[in-house]
Amino acid sequence: MSITKIKARQIFDSRGNPTVEVDVHTEKGRFRAAVPSGASTGVHEAVELRDGDKGAYLGKGVSKAVFNVNDIIAPALIDSKLSVTQQKEIDALLLELDGSTNKGKLGANAILGVSIAVAEAGAAESGLPLYAYLGKLAGHQGDKMTLPCPAFNVINGGSHAGNGLAFQEFMILPTGASSFTEAMKMGTETYHMLKKVIQAKYGLDATNVGDEGGFAPNVSGAEESLKLLSEAIQKAGYEGKIKIGLDVASSEFYKDGKYDLDFKNANSDPTKWITGEELGKMYADMIARYPIVSIEDPFDQDDWEAWSSFTQNTKVQIVGDDLTVTNPVRITTAIEKKACNGLLLKVNQIGTISESIQAAQLAQSDGWGVMVSHRSGETENTVIADLVVALGVGQIKTGAPARSERVAKYNMLLRIEEELGENAEYAGDRGLAAGTTPPALSKK
Protein backbone atom coordinates (compact mmCIF):
# COMPACT_ATOMS: atom_id res chain seq x y z
CA MET A 1 0.00 0.00 0.00
CA SER A 2 1.43 3.37 -1.00
CA ILE A 3 1.52 6.63 0.92
CA THR A 4 -1.36 9.06 0.45
CA LYS A 5 -0.06 11.98 2.53
CA ILE A 6 2.97 13.04 4.60
CA LYS A 7 2.84 15.91 7.09
CA ALA A 8 5.70 17.16 9.29
CA ARG A 9 5.53 19.68 12.12
CA GLN A 10 7.70 21.17 14.84
CA ILE A 11 7.09 19.77 18.33
CA PHE A 12 9.23 19.83 21.51
CA ASP A 13 11.58 17.29 23.04
CA SER A 14 12.13 16.51 26.72
CA ARG A 15 14.51 19.46 27.11
CA GLY A 16 12.03 21.96 25.68
CA ASN A 17 13.89 22.22 22.37
CA PRO A 18 12.16 21.99 18.98
CA THR A 19 12.26 18.69 17.14
CA VAL A 20 10.57 17.10 14.13
CA GLU A 21 7.40 15.01 14.12
CA VAL A 22 6.17 13.27 10.97
CA ASP A 23 2.79 11.75 10.10
CA VAL A 24 2.60 9.24 7.24
CA HIS A 25 -0.91 8.46 5.98
CA THR A 26 -2.04 5.35 4.09
CA GLU A 27 -5.47 3.84 3.58
CA LYS A 28 -4.87 2.00 6.87
CA GLY A 29 -4.61 5.25 8.86
CA ARG A 30 -2.09 7.74 10.24
CA PHE A 31 1.37 6.64 11.49
CA ARG A 32 3.43 9.04 13.58
CA ALA A 33 7.09 9.37 14.50
CA ALA A 34 9.09 11.93 16.50
CA VAL A 35 12.84 12.44 16.38
CA PRO A 36 15.25 12.67 19.37
CA SER A 37 18.24 15.00 19.79
CA GLY A 38 21.60 14.60 21.57
CA ALA A 39 23.54 17.03 23.80
CA SER A 40 27.02 15.50 23.57
CA THR A 41 27.16 14.86 19.83
CA GLY A 42 30.03 13.32 17.90
CA VAL A 43 31.58 15.44 15.16
CA HIS A 44 31.08 12.58 12.70
CA GLU A 45 27.30 12.26 13.22
CA ALA A 46 24.71 12.81 10.52
CA VAL A 47 23.61 16.46 10.49
CA GLU A 48 20.67 17.49 12.64
CA LEU A 49 19.29 20.43 10.66
CA ARG A 50 18.53 23.48 12.81
CA ASP A 51 17.38 26.90 11.60
CA GLY A 52 20.20 28.85 13.25
CA ASP A 53 17.96 31.90 13.76
CA LYS A 54 19.04 33.20 17.18
CA GLY A 55 15.86 35.26 17.36
CA ALA A 56 13.69 32.12 17.54
CA TYR A 57 14.16 29.18 19.89
CA LEU A 58 17.78 30.25 20.47
CA GLY A 59 18.62 29.11 16.95
CA LYS A 60 17.25 25.60 17.53
CA GLY A 61 14.08 25.81 15.44
CA VAL A 62 13.51 23.04 12.89
CA SER A 63 11.31 24.81 10.33
CA LYS A 64 13.86 24.07 7.56
CA ALA A 65 13.72 20.32 8.32
CA VAL A 66 9.91 20.48 8.46
CA PHE A 67 9.85 22.29 5.10
CA ASN A 68 12.15 19.64 3.62
CA VAL A 69 9.72 16.88 4.64
CA ASN A 70 6.58 18.69 3.49
CA ASP A 71 7.88 20.22 0.26
CA ILE A 72 10.67 17.90 -0.95
CA ILE A 73 10.35 14.42 0.60
CA ALA A 74 6.54 14.15 0.65
CA PRO A 75 5.91 14.82 -3.08
CA ALA A 76 8.79 12.55 -4.12
CA LEU A 77 7.67 9.64 -1.93
CA ILE A 78 4.03 9.91 -2.94
CA ASP A 79 4.98 10.12 -6.64
CA SER A 80 7.25 7.07 -6.29
CA LYS A 81 4.21 4.87 -5.54
CA LEU A 82 6.49 2.74 -3.35
CA SER A 83 4.65 0.52 -0.85
CA VAL A 84 5.21 1.29 2.85
CA THR A 85 6.52 -2.28 3.18
CA GLN A 86 9.45 -1.38 0.91
CA GLN A 87 11.52 0.09 3.75
CA LYS A 88 14.91 -0.37 2.07
CA GLU A 89 13.77 1.23 -1.19
CA ILE A 90 12.11 4.14 0.63
CA ASP A 91 15.18 4.75 2.78
CA ALA A 92 17.35 4.60 -0.35
CA LEU A 93 15.11 7.20 -2.01
CA LEU A 94 15.48 9.46 1.06
CA LEU A 95 19.28 9.21 0.77
CA GLU A 96 19.10 9.94 -2.96
CA LEU A 97 16.93 13.02 -2.37
CA ASP A 98 19.47 14.31 0.16
CA GLY A 99 22.51 13.49 -1.95
CA SER A 100 25.10 14.43 0.70
CA THR A 101 27.41 12.15 2.68
CA ASN A 102 26.12 13.34 6.07
CA LYS A 103 22.43 14.10 5.37
CA GLY A 104 23.29 17.79 5.64
CA LYS A 105 21.01 18.90 2.80
CA LEU A 106 17.62 17.68 4.05
CA GLY A 107 18.69 16.97 7.63
CA ALA A 108 18.94 13.61 9.41
CA ASN A 109 16.06 14.75 11.63
CA ALA A 110 13.80 15.19 8.58
CA ILE A 111 14.88 11.89 7.01
CA LEU A 112 14.62 9.85 10.22
CA GLY A 113 11.13 11.11 11.04
CA VAL A 114 9.91 9.83 7.68
CA SER A 115 11.84 6.55 7.93
CA ILE A 116 10.38 5.66 11.35
CA ALA A 117 6.83 6.65 10.39
CA VAL A 118 7.12 4.50 7.24
CA ALA A 119 8.23 1.53 9.40
CA GLU A 120 5.16 2.01 11.61
CA ALA A 121 2.96 2.06 8.49
CA GLY A 122 4.74 -1.00 7.07
CA ALA A 123 4.12 -2.95 10.28
CA ALA A 124 0.42 -2.10 10.16
CA GLU A 125 0.22 -3.06 6.48
CA SER A 126 1.89 -6.39 7.29
CA GLY A 127 -0.42 -7.04 10.24
CA LEU A 128 2.56 -7.35 12.60
CA PRO A 129 3.63 -5.60 15.82
CA LEU A 130 6.47 -3.18 15.06
CA TYR A 131 9.12 -5.33 16.80
CA ALA A 132 8.14 -8.37 14.73
CA TYR A 133 8.06 -6.35 11.50
CA LEU A 134 11.50 -4.80 12.16
CA GLY A 135 12.74 -8.29 13.07
CA LYS A 136 11.57 -9.51 9.69
CA LEU A 137 13.44 -6.62 7.99
CA ALA A 138 16.55 -7.60 10.00
CA GLY A 139 16.26 -11.25 8.97
CA HIS A 140 15.09 -12.61 12.35
CA GLN A 141 13.98 -16.22 12.19
CA GLY A 142 11.93 -18.30 14.63
CA ASP A 143 9.31 -17.37 17.20
CA LYS A 144 11.62 -16.65 20.13
CA MET A 145 12.82 -13.08 20.62
CA THR A 146 15.29 -11.56 23.08
CA LEU A 147 14.39 -8.88 25.59
CA PRO A 148 17.36 -6.62 26.41
CA CYS A 149 19.20 -6.03 29.65
CA PRO A 150 18.53 -2.35 30.46
CA ALA A 151 21.42 -0.02 31.35
CA PHE A 152 19.87 2.57 33.66
CA ASN A 153 21.71 5.90 33.81
CA VAL A 154 21.35 6.74 37.50
CA ILE A 155 24.22 9.16 38.20
CA ASN A 156 24.82 12.01 35.76
CA GLY A 157 27.94 14.06 35.09
CA GLY A 158 29.67 15.46 32.02
CA SER A 159 27.61 17.65 29.70
CA HIS A 160 24.39 16.35 31.27
CA ALA A 161 24.94 17.79 34.76
CA GLY A 162 26.05 20.91 36.61
CA ASN A 163 28.31 19.06 39.06
CA GLY A 164 32.08 18.70 38.81
CA LEU A 165 31.93 15.11 37.53
CA ALA A 166 33.76 14.62 34.21
CA PHE A 167 32.34 11.19 33.33
CA GLN A 168 28.88 11.56 31.80
CA GLU A 169 26.94 8.49 32.95
CA PHE A 170 27.09 5.83 35.65
CA MET A 171 24.70 3.00 34.82
CA ILE A 172 23.34 -0.09 36.56
CA LEU A 173 22.70 -3.28 34.55
CA PRO A 174 20.49 -6.00 36.13
CA THR A 175 22.31 -8.86 34.40
CA GLY A 176 21.21 -11.34 37.11
CA ALA A 177 17.48 -10.91 36.47
CA SER A 178 15.46 -13.80 35.02
CA SER A 179 13.17 -11.62 32.88
CA PHE A 180 12.85 -8.03 31.69
CA THR A 181 10.07 -7.57 34.23
CA GLU A 182 12.40 -8.62 37.04
CA ALA A 183 15.15 -6.41 35.61
CA MET A 184 12.79 -3.44 35.95
CA LYS A 185 12.03 -4.42 39.56
CA MET A 186 15.72 -4.65 40.40
CA GLY A 187 16.54 -1.42 38.58
CA THR A 188 13.76 0.66 40.11
CA GLU A 189 14.41 -0.62 43.63
CA THR A 190 18.12 0.17 43.34
CA TYR A 191 17.31 3.60 41.86
CA HIS A 192 15.12 4.46 44.86
CA MET A 193 17.72 3.10 47.27
CA LEU A 194 20.36 5.26 45.55
CA LYS A 195 18.12 8.28 46.11
CA LYS A 196 18.07 7.53 49.85
CA VAL A 197 21.84 6.99 49.95
CA ILE A 198 22.49 10.30 48.14
CA GLN A 199 20.01 12.24 50.31
CA ALA A 200 21.65 10.93 53.48
CA LYS A 201 25.10 12.00 52.29
CA TYR A 202 24.45 15.21 50.35
CA GLY A 203 20.99 16.49 51.33
CA LEU A 204 17.59 16.67 49.64
CA ASP A 205 18.56 18.96 46.75
CA ALA A 206 21.20 16.45 45.59
CA THR A 207 18.45 14.19 44.26
CA ASN A 208 17.10 16.57 41.65
CA VAL A 209 17.22 14.67 38.36
CA GLY A 210 19.09 15.43 35.12
CA ASP A 211 18.01 15.23 31.48
CA GLU A 212 17.88 11.43 31.58
CA GLY A 213 16.37 10.99 35.04
CA GLY A 214 19.61 10.26 36.88
CA PHE A 215 20.83 12.08 39.97
CA ALA A 216 23.61 14.65 39.82
CA PRO A 217 25.05 14.91 43.35
CA ASN A 218 28.02 17.19 43.90
CA VAL A 219 30.54 14.34 43.96
CA SER A 220 34.28 14.87 43.68
CA GLY A 221 34.82 12.32 40.91
CA ALA A 222 34.24 8.85 39.49
CA GLU A 223 35.48 7.02 42.58
CA GLU A 224 32.88 8.66 44.80
CA SER A 225 30.12 7.86 42.28
CA LEU A 226 31.15 4.20 42.11
CA LYS A 227 31.07 3.98 45.92
CA LEU A 228 27.52 5.42 45.95
CA LEU A 229 26.38 2.89 43.33
CA SER A 230 27.99 -0.03 45.17
CA GLU A 231 26.31 1.00 48.43
CA ALA A 232 22.90 1.33 46.77
CA ILE A 233 23.22 -2.06 45.02
CA GLN A 234 24.26 -3.74 48.26
CA LYS A 235 21.50 -2.12 50.35
CA ALA A 236 18.88 -3.01 47.71
CA GLY A 237 19.98 -6.65 48.07
CA TYR A 238 21.30 -7.12 44.53
CA GLU A 239 25.05 -7.49 45.02
CA GLY A 240 26.35 -9.80 42.29
CA LYS A 241 23.13 -9.47 40.28
CA ILE A 242 23.57 -5.85 39.17
CA LYS A 243 26.67 -4.75 37.29
CA ILE A 244 27.97 -1.25 36.49
CA GLY A 245 28.44 0.52 33.17
CA LEU A 246 30.11 3.85 32.40
CA ASP A 247 29.64 6.36 29.59
CA VAL A 248 32.70 8.56 29.89
CA ALA A 249 31.97 10.74 26.80
CA SER A 250 35.64 11.66 26.94
CA SER A 251 35.60 13.70 23.71
CA GLU A 252 33.93 16.37 25.86
CA PHE A 253 37.11 16.84 27.90
CA TYR A 254 39.84 16.07 25.35
CA LYS A 255 42.14 19.08 24.95
CA ASP A 256 45.39 19.37 23.03
CA GLY A 257 45.97 15.60 23.02
CA LYS A 258 45.23 15.16 26.73
CA TYR A 259 42.22 14.56 29.00
CA ASP A 260 41.06 17.24 31.45
CA LEU A 261 39.03 15.64 34.23
CA ASP A 262 38.42 19.15 35.64
CA PHE A 263 37.05 20.50 32.34
CA LYS A 264 34.03 22.22 33.89
CA ASN A 265 36.38 24.49 35.84
CA ALA A 266 37.25 27.53 33.70
CA ASN A 267 40.61 27.72 35.52
CA SER A 268 41.51 24.06 35.08
CA ASP A 269 45.26 23.42 35.56
CA PRO A 270 46.80 22.10 32.28
CA THR A 271 49.61 20.41 34.22
CA LYS A 272 47.01 18.01 35.67
CA TRP A 273 45.62 16.92 32.30
CA ILE A 274 46.41 13.25 31.64
CA THR A 275 47.36 11.12 28.63
CA GLY A 276 45.23 8.38 27.09
CA GLU A 277 47.56 5.80 28.63
CA GLU A 278 47.13 7.29 32.10
CA LEU A 279 43.36 7.41 31.65
CA GLY A 280 43.44 3.74 30.56
CA LYS A 281 45.27 2.82 33.77
CA MET A 282 42.58 4.64 35.75
CA TYR A 283 39.88 2.54 34.04
CA ALA A 284 41.82 -0.68 34.64
CA ASP A 285 42.06 0.15 38.35
CA MET A 286 38.29 0.80 38.55
CA ILE A 287 37.50 -2.45 36.69
CA ALA A 288 39.65 -4.35 39.19
CA ARG A 289 37.77 -2.93 42.18
CA TYR A 290 34.18 -2.57 40.98
CA PRO A 291 31.78 -4.84 38.97
CA ILE A 292 32.17 -2.76 35.78
CA VAL A 293 31.17 -4.66 32.62
CA SER A 294 30.93 -1.89 30.00
CA ILE A 295 32.71 1.41 29.28
CA GLU A 296 31.46 3.70 26.52
CA ASP A 297 33.63 6.32 24.80
CA PRO A 298 36.63 5.92 27.14
CA PHE A 299 38.75 8.03 24.76
CA ASP A 300 38.32 10.85 22.25
CA GLN A 301 36.51 10.09 18.99
CA ASP A 302 39.74 10.41 16.98
CA ASP A 303 42.25 9.02 19.53
CA TRP A 304 42.36 5.66 17.71
CA GLU A 305 45.64 4.56 19.26
CA ALA A 306 44.33 4.83 22.83
CA TRP A 307 41.17 2.92 21.88
CA SER A 308 43.04 0.04 20.20
CA SER A 309 45.61 -0.29 22.96
CA PHE A 310 43.02 -0.38 25.75
CA THR A 311 40.54 -2.70 23.99
CA GLN A 312 43.23 -5.33 23.35
CA ASN A 313 44.10 -5.43 27.05
CA THR A 314 40.72 -5.41 28.77
CA LYS A 315 38.15 -8.04 29.75
CA VAL A 316 35.07 -5.80 29.54
CA GLN A 317 32.90 -4.31 26.80
CA ILE A 318 34.32 -1.14 25.22
CA VAL A 319 31.55 0.72 23.40
CA GLY A 320 32.02 3.17 20.55
CA ASP A 321 29.53 6.04 20.39
CA ASP A 322 31.24 9.29 19.33
CA LEU A 323 33.90 7.01 17.82
CA THR A 324 31.53 5.10 15.54
CA VAL A 325 28.37 7.31 15.35
CA THR A 326 26.31 4.34 14.07
CA ASN A 327 28.05 4.87 10.73
CA PRO A 328 29.13 1.78 8.71
CA VAL A 329 32.26 3.59 7.44
CA ARG A 330 33.41 4.47 10.97
CA ILE A 331 32.45 0.99 12.25
CA THR A 332 34.53 -0.63 9.48
CA THR A 333 37.54 1.50 10.47
CA ALA A 334 37.06 0.54 14.13
CA ILE A 335 36.90 -3.14 13.16
CA GLU A 336 40.12 -2.83 11.16
CA LYS A 337 41.90 -1.04 14.02
CA LYS A 338 40.39 -3.37 16.67
CA ALA A 339 39.44 -0.17 18.45
CA CYS A 340 36.40 -1.42 20.36
CA ASN A 341 34.16 -4.44 20.85
CA GLY A 342 30.79 -2.73 21.23
CA LEU A 343 28.55 -0.40 19.23
CA LEU A 344 26.18 2.20 20.62
CA LEU A 345 23.31 2.26 18.15
CA LYS A 346 21.51 5.60 17.88
CA VAL A 347 19.05 5.82 15.02
CA ASN A 348 19.40 9.60 14.71
CA GLN A 349 23.19 9.39 14.32
CA ILE A 350 22.77 7.61 11.00
CA GLY A 351 19.27 8.70 10.01
CA THR A 352 17.25 5.74 8.66
CA ILE A 353 15.87 2.44 9.94
CA SER A 354 17.60 0.47 7.16
CA GLU A 355 21.03 1.95 7.92
CA SER A 356 20.53 1.31 11.65
CA ILE A 357 19.88 -2.38 10.97
CA GLN A 358 22.92 -2.48 8.65
CA ALA A 359 25.15 -0.86 11.31
CA ALA A 360 24.08 -3.36 13.98
CA GLN A 361 24.67 -6.33 11.69
CA LEU A 362 28.08 -5.04 10.63
CA ALA A 363 29.16 -4.71 14.28
CA GLN A 364 27.78 -8.15 15.11
CA SER A 365 29.66 -9.68 12.18
CA ASP A 366 32.91 -8.89 14.04
CA GLY A 367 31.64 -10.25 17.35
CA TRP A 368 30.79 -6.90 18.94
CA GLY A 369 28.10 -6.26 21.50
CA VAL A 370 25.42 -3.76 20.40
CA MET A 371 23.62 -1.41 22.79
CA VAL A 372 20.58 0.38 21.36
CA SER A 373 20.34 3.89 22.78
CA HIS A 374 18.09 6.89 23.32
CA ARG A 375 19.33 10.51 23.20
CA SER A 376 19.36 13.02 26.05
CA GLY A 377 16.69 15.08 24.26
CA GLU A 378 13.90 12.50 23.84
CA THR A 379 10.24 12.26 22.89
CA GLU A 380 7.50 9.78 23.77
CA ASN A 381 8.37 7.76 20.65
CA THR A 382 9.20 4.15 21.54
CA VAL A 383 10.69 2.78 18.30
CA ILE A 384 14.01 1.88 19.97
CA ALA A 385 12.19 -0.57 22.27
CA ASP A 386 10.85 -2.39 19.22
CA LEU A 387 14.19 -2.14 17.42
CA VAL A 388 16.26 -3.68 20.22
CA VAL A 389 13.94 -6.71 20.34
CA ALA A 390 13.94 -6.95 16.54
CA LEU A 391 17.74 -6.99 16.40
CA GLY A 392 18.08 -9.41 19.32
CA VAL A 393 21.22 -7.64 20.56
CA GLY A 394 20.27 -7.83 24.24
CA GLN A 395 21.23 -4.33 25.43
CA ILE A 396 19.37 -1.03 25.68
CA LYS A 397 20.06 2.23 27.45
CA THR A 398 17.28 4.74 27.68
CA GLY A 399 17.89 6.62 30.91
CA ALA A 400 16.91 6.14 34.51
CA PRO A 401 13.60 4.51 35.42
CA ALA A 402 12.18 8.03 35.78
CA ARG A 403 10.79 10.76 33.48
CA SER A 404 8.04 9.65 31.11
CA GLU A 405 10.03 10.00 27.88
CA ARG A 406 12.50 7.43 29.31
CA VAL A 407 10.00 5.12 31.03
CA ALA A 408 7.87 5.02 27.84
CA LYS A 409 10.55 2.80 26.26
CA TYR A 410 10.81 0.52 29.30
CA ASN A 411 7.02 0.24 29.50
CA MET A 412 6.88 -0.74 25.83
CA LEU A 413 9.41 -3.50 26.51
CA LEU A 414 7.24 -4.78 29.38
CA ARG A 415 4.30 -4.96 26.96
CA ILE A 416 6.40 -6.73 24.32
CA GLU A 417 7.60 -9.30 26.89
CA GLU A 418 4.01 -9.90 27.95
CA GLU A 419 2.86 -10.27 24.34
CA LEU A 420 5.64 -12.71 23.47
CA GLY A 421 4.87 -14.85 26.54
CA GLU A 422 6.90 -18.07 26.42
CA ASN A 423 8.69 -16.84 23.30
CA ALA A 424 10.37 -14.04 25.28
CA GLU A 425 13.93 -14.67 26.44
CA TYR A 426 15.79 -12.25 28.71
CA ALA A 427 19.34 -11.45 27.61
CA GLY A 428 20.96 -10.99 31.02
CA ASP A 429 24.69 -10.61 30.35
CA ARG A 430 24.57 -12.58 27.08
CA GLY A 431 24.55 -9.41 24.97
CA LEU A 432 27.77 -8.08 26.47
CA ALA A 433 31.14 -8.48 24.79
CA ALA A 434 34.03 -9.18 27.19
CA GLY A 435 37.43 -8.20 25.85
CA THR A 436 38.13 -10.46 22.86
CA THR A 437 35.19 -12.76 23.75
CA PRO A 438 32.09 -12.03 21.64
CA PRO A 439 28.68 -11.87 23.33
CA ALA A 440 26.88 -15.20 23.77
CA LEU A 441 24.11 -13.71 21.61
CA SER A 442 26.58 -12.79 18.86
CA LYS A 443 25.80 -13.77 15.30
CA LYS A 444 29.48 -13.86 14.32
Side-chain angles (χ1 to χ4, degrees):
M1 186 178 293
S2 53
I3 296 163
T4 56
K5 180 184 170 187
I6 298 175
K7 171 69 178 170
R9 65 184 63 84
Q10 177 174 288
I11 61 166
F12 291 88
D13 69 16
S14 58
R15 278 202 293 254
N17 290 326
T19 191
V20 178
E21 181 173 80
V22 177
D23 292 345
V24 164
H25 295 258
T26 71
E27 286 174 23
K28 280 253 166 84
R30 185 262 295 149
F31 304 94
R32 177 169 288 165
V35 179
S37 171
S40 61
T41 52
V43 295
H44 305 289
E45 289 192 28
V47 173
E48 178 184 69
L49 190 61
R50 298 279 182 181
D51 295 343
D53 175 6
K54 299 296 181 189
Y57 306 108
L58 306 174
K60 294 191 173 184
V62 290
S63 64
K64 289 178 183 174
V66 167
F67 173 87
N68 289 342
V69 174
N70 291 335
D71 287 63
I72 298 173
I73 294 173
L77 260 189
I78 292 166
D79 288 349
S80 76
K81 299 286 193 288
L82 285 166
S83 167
V84 286
T85 56
Q86 293 177 275
Q87 186 77 38
K88 267 190 181 175
E89 290 82 356
I90 287 174
D91 286 344
L93 177 58
L94 294 173
L95 300 188
E96 188 185 320
L97 288 170
D98 178 81
S100 70
T101 54
N102 61 358
K103 300 179 177 67
K105 184 182 167 191
L106 298 179
N109 42 351
I111 291 168
L112 180 62
V114 175
S115 185
I116 296 173
V118 164
E120 294 273 7
E125 177 65 20
S126 302
L128 293 169
L130 184 57
Y131 64 87
Y133 176 69
L134 293 175
K136 191 175 158 192
L137 292 181
H140 176 80
Q141 294 178 329
D143 295 328
K144 293 206 176 291
M145 300 193 87
T146 303
L147 271 291
C149 176
F152 300 106
N153 174 16
V154 293
I155 295 181
N156 297 172
S159 295
H160 291 176
N163 56 17
L165 191 57
F167 292 11
Q168 190 164 277
E169 298 175 15
F170 291 76
M171 295 170 276
I172 51 173
L173 289 76
T175 55
S178 59
S179 65
F180 185 78
T181 301
E182 190 188 13
M184 288 303 298
K185 178 177 181 287
M186 290 165 65
T188 53
E189 287 176 1
T190 306
Y191 177 73
H192 291 300
M193 182 57 71
L194 178 63
K195 184 175 184 177
K196 288 180 183 174
V197 169
I198 290 171
Q199 277 182 356
K201 280 188 164 65
Y202 305 97
L204 198 61
D205 62 348
T207 51
N208 292 332
V209 299
D211 287 348
E212 298 180 5
F215 306 118
N218 196 21
V219 291
S220 58
E223 183 73 24
E224 202 172 334
S225 302
L226 289 166
K227 282 180 179 171
L228 288 172
L229 279 191
S230 299
E231 185 179 340
I233 291 167
Q234 186 258 323
K235 285 186 172 174
Y238 294 120
E239 209 165 8
K241 290 189 169 184
I242 290 182
K243 305 298 185 185
I244 293 172
L246 307 176
D247 174 9
V248 182
S250 59
S251 293
E252 299 289 311
F253 54 85
Y254 187 64
K255 300 176 181 175
D256 303 325
K258 289 196 171 180
Y259 296 89
D260 175 16
L261 296 176
D262 192 27
F263 79 105
K264 294 184 192 176
N265 175 4
N267 299 311
S268 166
D269 181 358
T271 64
K272 293 183 177 171
W273 300 356
I274 61 175
T275 64
E277 189 179 354
E278 289 169 320
L279 187 56
K281 284 177 182 170
M282 186 187 295
Y283 298 139
D285 177 57
M286 289 175 186
I287 291 165
R289 292 182 296 112
Y290 295 98
I292 293 168
V293 292
S294 183
I295 303 179
E296 179 185 328
D297 280 349
F299 305 102
D300 178 70
Q301 56 211 348
D302 290 312
D303 192 2
W304 291 100
E305 192 178 327
W307 278 89
S308 299
S309 172
F310 187 68
T311 299
Q312 296 317 299
N313 294 291
T314 188
K315 291 191 170 131
V316 302
Q317 178 173 265
I318 305 301
V319 180
D321 174 18
D322 291 344
L323 181 80
T324 45
V325 293
T326 318
N327 186 311
V329 176
R330 297 280 298 182
I331 295 167
T332 300
T333 304
I335 287 171
E336 288 166 357
K337 292 180 182 286
K338 297 187 173 9
C340 57
N341 59 12
L343 173 71
L344 199 74
L345 180 63
K346 292 174 172 172
V347 289
N348 82 320
Q349 280 184 331
I350 189 64
T352 65
I353 291 292
S354 298
E355 289 171 293
S356 298
I357 293 170
Q358 180 196 355
Q361 292 175 340
L362 176 59
Q364 284 181 303
S365 74
D366 196 56
W368 290 16
V370 178
M371 184 182 281
V372 175
S373 175
H374 65 160
R375 298 308 299 255
S376 51
E378 263 298 337
T379 71
E380 315 87 278
N381 186 277
T382 56
V383 68
I384 62 169
D386 291 273
L387 183 62
V388 72
V389 175
L391 294 171
V393 291
Q395 300 183 70
I396 189 171
K397 76 165 189 174
T398 180
R403 296 185 53 139
S404 290
E405 76 281 357
R406 314 292 153 186
V407 179
K409 282 74 162 168
Y410 295 129
N411 286 342
M412 178 55 78
L413 286 163
L414 288 170
R415 295 181 200 111
I416 292 171
E417 182 171 66
E418 179 184 75
E419 190 172 300
L420 284 168
E422 290 181 358
N423 286 321
E425 295 180 337
Y426 178 63
D429 64 1
R430 293 179 302 131
L432 291 157
T436 54
T437 307
L441 289 174
S442 176
K443 292 179 177 139
K444 184 176 180 181

